[in-house]
Amino acid sequence: MNAPVRTANPKNFISGATGDWEVVIGMEIHAQVASESKLFSGASTAFGGEPNDHVSMVDAAMPGMLPVINEECVRQAVRTGLGLNAEIHKRSVFARKNYFYPDLPQGYQISQYDQPIVGEGIVTVEVGPDNKGQFEEISIGVERLHLEQDAGKSLHDQHPTMSYVDLNRSGVALMEIVSKPDLRSSEEARAYLTKVRTILRYLGTSDADMDKGNLRADINVSVRRPGEPLGTRCEIKNVNSIRFAGQAIEYEARRQIAVLEDGGSISQETRLFDPSRGETRSMRSKEEAHDYRYFPDPDLLPLEFDDAYVEALKADLPELPDEKRQRFQSDFGLSAYDANVLVSDREIAHFFEALARGRDGKQAANWIINDLLGALNKAGKPIEASPVSAHQLGELLDLQKEGVISGKIAKDVFEIVFTEGGSPREIVETRGLKQVTDTGAIEKVVDEIIAANPDKVEQAKSKPTMIGWFVGQVMKASGGKAAPQAVNDLLKAKLGIE
Amino acid sequence: MTELTALTIAELRDTLGRRQASAVEVAEAYVAAIEAANPSLNAYVAVTPDKALDMARASDARIAAGEARPLEGVPLGIKDLFATEGVHTQAASHILDGFKPGYESTVTANLWADGAVMLGKLNMDEFAMGSSNETSYYGPVVSPWRSEGSNAKIVPGGSSGGSASAVAAHLCAGATATDTGGSIRQPAAFTGTVGIKPTYGRCSRWGTVAFASSLDQAGPIARTVRDAAIMLKSMASVDPKDTTSADLPVPDYEQSIGETVKGLKIGIPREYRVEGMPEEIEKLWQQGIDWYRQAGAEIVDISLPHTKYALPAYYIVAPAEASSNLARYDGVRYGLRVECDDIIDMYEKTRAAGFGREVKRRILIGTYVLSAGYYDAYYVRAQKVRTLIKRDFELAFEAGVDAILTPATPSSAFGIGAMADADPVEMYLNDIFTVTVNMAGLPGLAVPAGLDSSGLPLGLQLIGRPFDEQTLFRVGQVIEDAAGSFAAPKWW
């Protein structure tokens, strides 16, 4: 199940002082599994709480404690594997990764090493849009996905001479999704990270909330001359925002190019991205790297399940973004751009489907993309907290379609509903925003405008587009309520334009 | 009436049931015996007389109400490896100084649920690493046995030396023990007691301080085969907290005792006839074979060709797991902490002060064999050897063998300090007949079979099919019936 090999695309090249360079990126995404309790203990995974509120004897590594696998986490890992179009391993093995750290109570992390639960897969990523509004579709290989325990947290600012340890996160289940080194630009990397986050959220296998640290990435970056073998890589640890991921890659690629162009060489090392300075710095070199002494955890039997288990989970998967996008394009006639925007977030897609049902899909998409998302963005609200529901917006669209209000009034009513709430139909009714379709009333206004502006009437005879000015005046005079078609027809007749 | 502490568990059950003595009287008798003997034998690292009397009183109430449970009022000693709530649980190590868990191990919880009474915690080799009980932070345990005409102190074997010594000296009616490479069977053989290491997975490991997780298994040390059967019935259970525990019903082991062994096939593995084996051991083994022949069993020669690799492979697998299992003793959360200015210093000084020499040796070996570049050569190969050893046994059992008879140890007990200057490997050789059983995950029973020329006990080992402890008890009883029981002359 290999993704096609990427061919070098000059569009992605970075030009250095001595010629072009290609950056090669691979990513390890750590996503917290959506589950009530931890990977091997019954303690809660709830965010927050006082330090050490959510710690069982197992999490604290008390003598004689044993891990017991949480089946929900296994289920979520398999579902994620299916969502990544990946091979599911019906037998996998938990291994111990041994190292000493105060927030690692066991002295080892239970992870998976040479026999992970999920093998190779493919993620389709839409990169863009470019300045023509076009997306480029690329296929990124997934190397593996494995389950592992999160560590606790050391608190160094609580006491003048001591460090404190908070084990609330200790033992929380993480999925590590390892990509192949298939990414070729910071833009692609951002798009890949975004896409994986979207898939996780569609599946509900992780809330993938980067602000809470529930999604983080370790990013491997190397540079090479186009067509040459892979260069030495550096790993940027624990990047916790998509924007930072882009910045870190840009900085790191240019740093490596500068070193190489100066005749230096890259040493394999782990680096940290400092968002305040926008740069990466060395954390430890390969020589200082730990020997983790991985070996199969003798407290846990190999993890085994059958085809029926996988098939049942597969049958139960929700529609994923790629399928949804295709359906939106074919069923609603949406452009690739519109479909991409709408499926980028499961909640937006839900909103769209609720709105578009029985209505014009294209119009629904425009309203969401141009009006709703803009207003939400300005208000700093996610779609889940939208003050305008799909039902309310639908009513608004219906009013417009029925000819009760004009497009312009519709925008005004949208503003009112967004800020004050209420039923669009009632608002139109009570505030007298109904479109005037009575030709007599409109004609009266048209006549007044024509009478008051003989010079413009004259000009319009030689320049028919001047009709726009008259339409504007009539609409203004009618408070926007005059039916635009009727205004147009009347003006044309009276001004003698054809 | 005989002294209450002289009664076996089976006898005690009858005595208490007939109200010929109360559980409180029995507990008091044991507490008194411990107080008198422990300064000499050092079998207990913590005695819990108040707890014992409280539990005994509750047992008496149960008995009076006609609600006696299988081990009602039976006073037991608990190896310090088992977590006992609110009570000293330190694996006889300095690094667990002051540790009293807020939880109870599944094995001990099972015993209390069946009415047993806790006398206290038993000495052992530190973290169950040793074959003489000389590695304990609390000092060596002394065996109640002495060579004829000598006052020299003798080791009880290890790592369950406190359990063996206490059972042999009647300082408890029975004891819990654990066996990773022979730690139940070797001390049982050294002290004239009966010990069974059940099939891996028969007893839950939850709440038992881990040494080598894939090999550790709890079992009883008792005075008779029947007592061991009674205790194992209560100790064994499937446990949702230990996913390596077996979800199989626990049979009433006692029922198989006394069943004839006529027609059973007893396998004699030729590879256990090791070079330099004392003639006395050879004789004892032959004696065992003769007893079975007389009892109507069929003796068959078998081959377990990979036996010679068991000990070296064991000393890779067990330390590897131990090096990781013992990483949690870091001074951060519980037990000993040597205060320092930074964390690395704290780790190093705490672990340097907290672990004894043998534990450190095994952590170093384990760390080495798991290191990059050595893992395949040592750990992976040792696991392959393990598979081959297991296969040897499977083939023997597939050929119809019901139990395998071997010596339990290559010698009788030695003097305390006798091995102090020896190569550690010489001490490891004590386990030569027992480690294969752990590597294969099989049940093994050690039964006293005689005394050597200096009057020290010797034992024979029976190895059974997975989860076929019944057959071992049934077959083991034959040796007990033929050899009789062995009690150390009281000198303490």
Side-chain angles (χ1 to χ4, degrees):
Chain A
M1 215 181 288
N2 278 318
V5 175
R6 304 288 315 272
T7 45
N9 185 344
K11 169 177 96 122
N12 293 327
F13 293 169
I14 298 174
S15 53
T18 60
D20 284 344
W21 295 86
E22 187 181 34
V23 58
V24 176
I25 305 153
M27 217 182 275
E28 294 162 18
I29 298 176
H30 300 260
Q32 182 179 329
V33 177
S35 65
E36 294 288 312
S37 50
K38 296 182 179 182
L39 184 53
F40 297 111
S41 85
S44 164
T45 58
F47 182 74
E50 289 297 304
N52 299 310
D53 262 3
H54 307 309
V55 185
S56 75
M57 295 288 182
V58 176
D59 308 323
M62 300 305 275
M65 291 300 101
L66 297 173
V68 175
I69 184 75
N70 177 346
E71 283 173 36
E72 176 62 11
C73 297
V74 173
R75 213 174 72 85
Q76 295 287 48
V78 172
R79 294 178 74 237
T80 305
L82 292 169
L84 298 174
N85 308 301
E87 189 188 345
I88 306 299
H89 294 160
K90 282 177 284 175
R91 184 180 195 276
S92 63
V93 172
F94 285 101
R96 293 184 183 178
K97 179 180 180 178
N98 295 284
Y99 65 97
F100 283 95
Y101 206 72
D103 59 24
L104 187 77
Q106 294 166 136
Y108 54 85
Q109 176 197 34
I110 305 178
S111 180
Q112 295 189 301
Y113 186 51
D114 51 1
Q115 298 179 70
I117 186 165
V118 174
E120 292 186 337
I122 296 174
V123 179
T124 305
V125 180
E126 297 72 37
V127 186
D130 59 16
N131 47 22
K132 293 182 199 124
Q134 296 298 306
F135 284 88
E136 184 196 1
E137 193 168 277
I138 57 172
S139 289
I140 300 304
V142 169
E143 178 72 34
R144 58 185 281 166
L145 175 154
H146 68 251
L147 281 167
E148 63 182 26
Q149 296 177 301
D150 203 352
K153 203 163 73 177
S154 294
L155 310 167
H156 303 295
D157 53 2
Q158 306 287 309
H159 187 277
T161 59
M162 313 268 257
S163 290
Y164 286 4
V165 176
D166 175 7
L167 297 179
N168 280 350
R169 287 193 75 93
S170 168
V172 164
L174 301 179
M175 293 179 281
E176 181 172 327
I177 303 164
V178 183
S179 84
K180 295 192 183 261
D182 283 353
L183 298 158
R184 294 291 180 269
S185 69
S186 62
E187 193 189 9
E188 289 188 2
R190 278 189 284 116
Y192 168 75
L193 189 50
T194 307
K195 185 59 180 282
V196 170
R197 186 178 63 172
T198 305
I199 292 172
L200 294 171
R201 287 181 175 170
Y202 265 66
L203 291 165
T205 55
S206 172
D207 73 5
D209 188 335
M210 298 189 89
D211 292 338
K212 288 183 186 159
N214 295 349
L215 191 80
R216 334 187 267 270
D218 297 341
I219 307 171
N220 284 293
V221 178
S222 65
V223 296
R224 64 176 171 189
R225 294 292 190 187
E228 289 194 356
L230 290 174
T232 303
R233 67 172 195 264
C234 293
E235 184 181 25
I236 311 165
K237 278 277 183 201
N238 257 327
V239 180
N240 61 3
S241 99
I242 291 174
R243 195 161 55 90
F244 293 164
Q247 290 173 2
I249 293 165
E250 286 293 329
Y251 177 88
E252 180 59 19
R254 285 173 201 285
R255 183 191 71 83
Q256 290 184 16
I257 291 168
V259 169
L260 293 170
E261 290 192 330
D262 269 0
S265 62
I266 302 299
S267 45
Q268 191 175 334
E269 61 183 357
T270 304
R271 301 178 69 86
L272 270 184
F273 178 68
D274 178 350
S276 62
R277 314 181 72 153
E279 61 185 38
T280 65
R281 19 168 224 276
S282 182
M283 203 174 135
R284 59 171 180 261
S285 70
K286 193 187 176 190
E287 289 70 36
E288 298 166 78
H290 298 291
D291 178 352
Y292 290 119
R293 291 172 283 120
Y294 279 100
F295 75 109
D297 192 325
D299 285 333
L300 292 159
L301 300 170
L303 181 58
E304 291 177 311
F305 41 76
D306 56 16
D307 285 319
Y309 177 80
V310 180
E311 287 308 315
L313 292 178
K314 199 181 220 165
D316 223 28
L317 284 187
E319 186 182 38
L320 290 172
D322 291 341
E323 305 159 43
K324 208 182 269 293
R325 189 186 65 233
Q326 277 163 19
R327 186 166 60 81
F328 282 5
Q329 286 185 247
S330 59
D331 287 10
F332 297 105
L334 300 189
S335 67
Y337 176 86
D338 285 356
N340 261 325
V341 173
L342 294 175
V343 304
S344 67
D345 182 322
R346 187 172 61 158
E347 297 307 320
I348 295 175
H350 280 173
F351 195 104
F352 168 74
E353 293 210 66
L355 183 62
R357 196 171 299 129
R359 299 194 179 92
D360 176 37
K362 184 72 195 148
Q363 193 193 13
N366 284 341
W367 267 96
I368 292 172
I369 295 169
N370 301 330
D371 300 287
L372 180 63
L373 294 182
L376 288 171
N377 194 25
K378 217 192 287 173
K381 285 183 176 164
I383 186 111
E384 296 92 315
S386 171
V388 181
S389 70
H391 178 76
Q392 287 166 307
L393 189 52
E395 207 174 281
L396 191 60
L397 265 64
D398 293 344
L399 288 168
Q400 198 184 340
K401 189 173 175 226
E402 290 159 16
V404 177
I405 54 171
S406 66
K408 189 192 169 300
I409 294 291
K411 308 269 172 190
D412 295 341
V413 175
F414 174 81
E415 286 293 327
I416 295 167
V417 178
F418 194 91
T419 48
E420 300 168 27
S423 148
R425 204 173 279 280
E426 278 169 30
I427 290 167
V428 167
E429 198 69 50
T430 55
R431 304 197 189 188
L433 298 173
K434 265 190 180 168
Q435 188 160 253
V436 179
T437 46
D438 173 357
T439 22
I442 298 172
E443 192 170 4
K444 191 169 163 259
V445 180
V446 168
D447 287 344
E448 281 168 21
I449 303 274
I450 288 177
N453 297 286
D455 51 332
K456 301 270 193 226
V457 173
E458 208 49 45
Q459 288 167 15
K461 283 188 176 135
S462 55
K463 196 181 172 203
T465 52
M466 277 294 295
I467 193 171
W469 182 86
F470 284 95
V471 171
Q473 294 301 307
V474 176
M475 295 307 281
K476 198 170 159 189
S478 73
K481 291 185 283 182
Q485 197 55 50
V487 173
N488 245 316
D489 293 349
L490 280 167
L491 278 170
K492 275 181 185 168
K494 296 199 185 250
L495 294 173
I497 298 168
E498 199 38 69
Chain B
M1 207 182 93
T2 44
E3 223 180 313
L4 288 172
T5 57
L7 301 173
T8 64
I9 292 174
E11 289 163 351
L12 200 50
R13 190 173 55 187
D14 294 344
T15 302
L16 289 167
R18 290 195 214 104
R19 319 279 297 268
Q20 287 163 332
S22 71
V24 169
E25 285 165 346
V26 175
E28 279 170 345
Y30 274 109
V31 169
I34 294 165
E35 269 171 22
N38 212 44
S40 309
L41 301 183
N42 198 29
Y44 281 85
V45 290
V47 188
T48 55
D50 294 343
K51 207 169 179 88
L53 292 176
D54 283 349
M55 292 171 96
R57 271 190 283 273
S59 284
D60 281 332
R62 282 266 192 167
I63 293 166
E67 292 167 356
R69 296 160 294 179
L71 285 172
E72 201 67 69
V74 174
L76 302 177
I78 304 300
K79 190 177 182 179
D80 201 31
L81 208 60
F82 294 88
T84 42
E85 193 175 348
V87 176
H88 186 289
T89 298
Q90 298 177 22
S93 177
H94 186 32
I95 205 149
L96 273 167
D97 264 7
F99 183 67
K100 289 181 175 144
Y103 48 91
E104 187 77 31
S105 80
T106 300
V107 163
T108 49
N110 287 345
L111 290 168
W112 314 143
D114 273 358
V117 167
M118 175 158 82
L119 290 169
K121 298 305 281 290
L122 294 163
N123 206 343
M124 54 182 281
D125 277 304
E126 184 182 4
F127 281 104
M129 297 178 191
S131 303
S132 65
N133 215 127
E134 292 172 291
T135 73
S136 166
Y137 177 67
Y138 297 92
V141 174
V142 177
S143 172
W145 290 88
R146 287 171 165 183
S147 294
E148 268 164 35
S150 165
N151 286 336
K153 291 175 179 173
I154 298 282
V155 303
S159 69
S160 309
S163 306
S165 180
V167 171
H170 296 183
L171 306 184
C172 57
T176 65
T178 61
D179 189 317
T180 304
S183 283
I184 289 176
R185 293 158 288 159
Q186 184 253 18
F190 275 12
T191 55
T193 55
V194 176
I196 182 165
K197 180 205 91 75
T199 314
Y200 183 78
R202 182 67 287 183
C203 292
S204 167
R205 292 183 296 115
W206 192 87
T208 308
V209 176
F211 161 15
S213 312
S214 73
L215 300 158
D216 294 346
Q217 185 57 208
I221 291 181
R223 293 180 212 169
T224 65
V225 172
R226 181 179 296 274
D227 282 6
I230 294 170
M231 275 190 74
L232 182 60
K233 163 84 175 137
S234 290
M235 293 168 73
S237 68
V238 63
D239 184 356
K241 291 182 286 189
D242 174 5
T243 48
T244 63
S245 68
D247 190 3
L248 292 170
V250 181
D252 187 355
Y253 297 118
E254 211 183 340
Q255 277 186 359
S256 59
I257 291 170
E259 280 179 35
T260 178
V261 298
K262 202 166 277 177
L264 289 189
K265 273 191 191 173
I266 306 294
I268 310 299
R270 70 174 69 103
E271 289 80 7
Y272 281 60
R273 199 155 274 123
V274 294
E275 216 178 304
M277 190 159 83
E279 209 185 296
E280 282 184 313
I281 302 290
E282 183 82 43
K283 254 175 68 188
L284 182 84
W285 197 6
Q286 190 53 53
Q287 175 67 73
I289 293 169
D290 293 344
W291 284 331
Y292 282 113
R293 223 175 244 132
Q294 286 154 21
E298 186 190 339
I299 303 298
V300 288
D301 282 326
I302 62 166
S303 175
L304 302 169
H306 297 94
T307 300
K308 61 173 178 272
Y309 305 113
L311 198 64
Y314 171 85
Y315 274 97
I316 289 167
V317 174
E321 292 181 10
S323 71
S324 177
N325 281 336
L326 271 58
R328 65 187 57 199
Y329 308 109
D330 57 6
V332 173
R333 296 169 312 287
Y334 47 77
L336 183 73
R337 175 192 288 183
V338 177
E339 296 288 353
C340 291
D341 289 339
D342 70 73
I343 185 72
I344 300 295
D345 220 22
M346 194 269 269
Y347 283 153
E348 290 177 354
K349 294 210 164 79
T350 299
R351 288 168 66 84
F355 291 133
R357 280 180 66 81
E358 184 59 29
V359 172
K360 282 180 196 157
R361 179 177 1 257
R362 298 202 197 188
I363 291 175
L364 285 173
I365 293 170
T367 304
Y368 178 81
V369 299
L370 289 177
S371 298
Y374 298 100
Y375 179 75
D376 289 337
Y378 290 104
Y379 188 78
V380 172
R381 289 195 111 189
Q383 290 294 7
K384 284 182 185 161
V385 168
R386 196 170 175 181
T387 306
L388 293 172
I389 290 168
K390 215 172 154 190
R391 188 76 196 127
D392 283 353
F393 281 107
E394 282 166 4
L395 290 173
F397 289 125
E398 277 168 25
V401 167
D402 295 293
I404 296 167
L405 179 72
T406 78
T409 56
S411 71
S412 61
F414 42 89
I416 288 177
M419 303 276 270
D421 300 321
D423 186 315
V425 173
E426 279 187 49
M427 186 68 96
Y428 298 166
L429 284 169
N430 264 288
D431 298 333
I432 191 139
F433 298 134
T434 47
V435 282
T436 49
V437 179
N438 300 78
M439 293 292 268
L442 301 172
L445 174 73
V447 187
L451 301 176
D452 74 356
S453 56
S454 59
L456 293 177
L458 292 171
L460 286 171
Q461 173 179 236
L462 289 155
I463 304 167
R465 291 195 182 91
F467 300 103
D468 189 15
E469 285 81 4
Q470 294 109 294
T471 300
L472 289 188
F473 288 123
R474 174 181 172 194
V475 172
Q477 187 64 39
V478 171
I479 297 177
E480 190 173 282
D481 289 345
S485 62
F486 304 91
K490 192 170 172 183
W491 55 264
W492 54 90

